[in-house]
Amino acid sequence: MLAENEEGYRNLIRITSEASLHGFYRKPRVSKRYLAENSKGLIGFSGCLSGELCEALVAGQYDKARAVAAEYQDIFGRGNFFLEIQDQGLDDERKIHSDLYKLERELDIPLIATNDSHYLCGEDSHAHDVMLCVQTGAKIHDKERFRFDSDQFFVKSADEMARLFPDSPNVLQRTMQVAERCKLKLAKIDNPFPEFAVPEGHTIDSYFERCAARG
């Protein structure tokens, strides 16, 4: 999700807080109901291969993926939800490209091109692989360890992205259009700390000392 404006930013903060404080189970999570209740000002995307929609397509469950796409379009509103198409050199990505174009036609949900970026430059892929080993307690030469199946998860230039989708320049143009919609500018707050009311006869310092003394 991206915040298009200040309302979207506040909703994004609200959603991430809810996900971490109350919905955490292995990873932060929120319900679709909560997402729908706080979706104003947000732009949503279908995600990478690990996303709900793409997982259904990889499993050959087109009807399920279609229902998922329609559901998220209802949550974010028409024009605020986009299908993502990616090509990081993975077979499963290319396997579902035709289905993504089909979904775009059937549901009138625009496709945008994105690239998962886990490191900045292509030459950083080895360092990233080492980091994964540290995180998972594995060794580089372990055959069954967790690893990325490509070295293409870096921030790509416009030219590099254009080479991936030579026959669909519109998916790249839409990516730029979405980025240009996000015009959030946060105003600086002079005193960002909350104001605490204290009993009569106390200052904030004297009441804090009293509370501390009482344990």
Side-chain angles (χ1 to χ4, degrees):
M1 291 180 290
L2 296 179
E4 185 174 12
N5 48 40
E6 185 172 341
E7 182 179 25
Y9 173 76
R10 295 187 183 283
N11 277 329
L12 190 60
I13 296 300
R14 188 173 291 113
I15 290 167
T16 54
S17 296
E18 171 69 17
S20 296
L21 295 174
H22 304 122
F24 195 95
Y25 179 74
R26 298 185 180 178
K27 293 182 179 181
R29 309 175 306 163
V30 292
S31 68
K32 290 178 181 176
R33 178 179 177 180
Y34 191 87
L35 186 61
E37 292 171 350
N38 299 276
S39 63
K40 288 185 178 180
L42 293 174
I43 302 173
F45 307 97
S46 61
C48 62
L49 284 177
S50 297
E52 183 181 9
L53 185 143
C54 288
E55 281 189 342
L57 289 180
V58 171
Q61 300 170 334
Y62 180 82
D63 289 342
K64 179 181 178 181
R66 193 179 191 279
V68 167
E71 183 178 22
Y72 281 114
Q73 187 178 50
D74 289 341
I75 287 174
F76 290 99
R78 186 170 293 276
N80 297 320
F81 177 67
F82 296 84
L83 302 171
E84 285 185 68
I85 187 167
Q86 299 186 340
D87 189 345
Q88 281 114 193
L90 306 180
D91 291 339
D92 280 345
E93 289 172 336
R94 292 165 180 168
K95 171 185 173 182
I96 65 173
H97 278 185
S98 60
D99 283 338
L100 286 169
Y101 284 110
K102 184 179 177 182
L103 282 174
E104 180 186 39
R105 291 191 303 270
E106 291 184 357
L107 298 177
D108 193 25
I109 301 177
L111 264 172
I112 64 169
T114 64
N115 198 88
D116 275 359
S117 302
H118 289 263
Y119 37 90
L120 186 59
C121 305
E123 56 266 30
D124 296 332
S125 62
H126 177 68
H128 178 257
D129 198 39
V130 172
M131 184 193 72
L132 292 178
C133 289
V134 173
Q135 288 180 338
T136 58
K139 297 180 180 179
I140 284 286
H141 301 296
D142 291 348
K143 292 183 179 180
E144 301 301 322
R145 70 177 174 86
F146 174 71
R147 70 180 75 220
F148 280 32
D149 295 325
S150 157
D151 59 0
Q152 297 298 303
F153 293 90
F154 61 94
V155 180
K156 291 178 180 169
S157 68
D159 288 340
E160 287 170 321
M161 291 297 290
R163 286 195 291 271
L164 293 174
F165 301 98
D167 301 323
S168 303
N170 55 328
V171 300
L172 298 169
Q173 293 166 1
R174 288 196 202 107
T175 305
M176 194 65 198
Q177 290 167 2
V178 170
E180 290 171 346
R181 283 176 56 181
C182 298
K183 300 181 183 298
L184 173 67
K185 289 185 178 180
L186 294 177
K188 185 178 180 180
I189 300 174
D190 292 333
N191 180 18
F193 299 102
E195 294 287 341
F196 291 101
V198 298
E200 187 175 350
H202 279 283
T203 65
I204 188 74
D205 292 327
S206 67
Y207 188 63
F208 178 78
E209 184 177 355
R210 177 182 171 184
C211 292
R214 287 180 171 181

